Amino acid sequence: MLVTILGPDGTGKTTLARVLAEKIDGLDYVYFGYNKESRDYQFFDSFVKSEPKNILKRIIRKGIRFINDLYVFRSAKKNHIISDRSPIDNYIITKIQDRKIRYYYYLILLLSPNPDFVILLNGNAEIIYKRKEELSVNDIRKYIKYYQEYLNNKQINYCMIDTVENDIENTLRIAKSELDTRLS
């Protein structure tokens, strides 16, 4: 089963995903975010983490990332995996930024399997903004809205947890309860 944690920056995705992987036997943690150093690639790790200037090498690098991600998704059929972020993020980010590359990411999503379950973290945008000051309050609201629209349109099972109203312990309790039901 592939479980994915989604939400705007500052909602606690990484913290929650790592703690859940530690607390639930047989649940492996995978990072699908933008920080190349935090990602582990099964194949060609150093090449994928490089910054090639040649357009052909950049295209090959994107292809290898995609193949690696598919490998991880496929392994979720045999193992339970919790991912911090997913390819859905790339599509949502480029949609918010109104960048044409979002169509490329949408195509990637069509070729990638959907998560089996998503934990969508949200909360008061002003408070989330103050946690990291990386995204504007308006963008935080858009993230939450677009995530919900995407998950509903694709009919992906998800639960929402407000990480402003719930501290980390309550967030963990709610998420663990959701996963215990689904993983048993």
Side-chain angles (χ1 to χ4, degrees), residues 16 19-20 22-25 119 159 161 169-183:
L16 181 62
V19 171
L20 286 169
E22 287 173 14
K23 296 221 180 249
I24 298 175
D25 287 337
I119 299 172
C159 74
I161 303 174
E169 291 305 317
N170 278 338
T171 299
L172 177 60
R173 185 185 50 73
I174 295 166
K176 190 170 180 320
S177 173
E178 289 283 346
L179 292 183
D180 286 343
T181 303
R182 287 167 173 76
L183 295 175

Side-chain angles (χ1 to χ4, degrees), residues 129-142:
Y129 169 77
K130 290 177 185 175
R131 290 178 179 169
K132 281 196 157 182
E133 297 185 0
E134 290 181 9
L135 301 170
S136 71
V137 171
N138 191 40
D139 281 351
I140 291 169
R141 289 185 182 122
K142 285 181 185 177

Side-chain angles (χ1 to χ4, degrees), residues 98-139:
D98 197 29
R99 295 176 57 206
K100 289 187 182 191
I101 196 168
R102 73 180 173 274
Y103 300 113
Y104 163 78
Y105 289 118
Y106 189 74
L107 176 64
I108 294 297
L109 286 173
L110 291 175
L111 298 172
S112 302
N114 287 324
D116 297 299
F117 183 68
V118 170
I119 299 172
L120 178 57
L121 304 180
N122 66 0
N124 180 303
E126 288 86 5
I127 295 172
I128 293 171
Y129 169 77
K130 290 177 185 175
R131 290 178 179 169
K132 281 196 157 182
E133 297 185 0
E134 290 181 9
L135 301 170
S136 71
V137 171
N138 191 40
D139 281 351

Side-chain angles (χ1 to χ4, degrees), residues 34 36 39 41 43-44 47-52 54-70 87 90 94 99 101-102 104-105 108 111-112:
Y34 326 111
K36 289 184 288 190
R39 288 193 69 172
Y41 294 97
F43 310 105
F44 308 106
F47 175 72
V48 175
K49 291 180 178 179
S50 69
E51 287 294 332
N54 178 305
I55 187 76
L56 180 60
K57 286 183 180 178
R58 288 177 26 210
I59 291 169
I60 292 169
R61 186 181 67 181
K62 282 191 182 287
I64 292 170
R65 277 187 194 156
F66 175 69
I67 291 167
N68 183 82
D69 292 353
L70 280 180
N90 293 326
T94 54
R99 295 176 57 206
I101 196 168
R102 73 180 173 274
Y104 163 78
Y105 289 118
I108 294 297
L111 298 172
S112 302

